[in-house]
Amino acid sequence: LMDCHMQLTETLVTCQRIRELPGTALLPILAVIGNHQRNERDHCRAAGVTETLDRPVRFEELQRVLHGVLLSRSPSESADI
């Protein structure tokens, strides 16, 4: 879970570096963003973010996103994470 409250550029670089590590292609990365602008979501996706959540994070939304991300993986993929 990445909090994009810090500089967005730093967050994007961090996500890109995580994705460069061996075995992280399937690792879910969620980003909490404070800005509802589409371009911020697009930048996050391009950097390797799996899903974005708007601030303030609502529990129901976090639960829905986590459920979706975890169910989209096969049991063998989930075991590798």
Side-chain angles (χ1 to χ4, degrees):
L1 182 61
M2 302 289 295
D3 185 356
C4 295
H5 184 68
M6 64 177 160
Q7 294 271 341
L8 180 60
T9 304
E10 292 174 15
T11 302
L12 299 178
V13 169
T14 301
C15 290
Q16 290 169 336
R17 288 189 178 156
I18 290 171
R19 291 292 182 219
E20 291 171 357
L21 296 172
T24 62
L26 300 175
L27 178 71
I29 299 177
L30 308 179
V32 178
I33 59 175
N35 192 335
H36 302 281
Q37 293 182 6
R38 181 171 179 80
N39 66 345
E40 189 167 324
R41 289 182 193 284
D42 293 342
H43 290 306
C44 287
R45 298 283 169 112
V49 171
T50 309
E51 236 358 289
T52 57
L53 295 161
D54 293 325
R55 186 178 280 112
V57 176
R58 294 183 334 268
F59 175 75
E60 297 80 13
E61 183 68 7
L62 176 61
Q63 187 176 28
R64 181 193 66 75
V65 169
L66 288 173
H67 187 74
V69 167
L70 295 176
L71 285 182
S72 69
R73 300 189 176 343
S74 72
S76 62
E77 291 172 340
S78 297
D80 293 338
I81 297 176

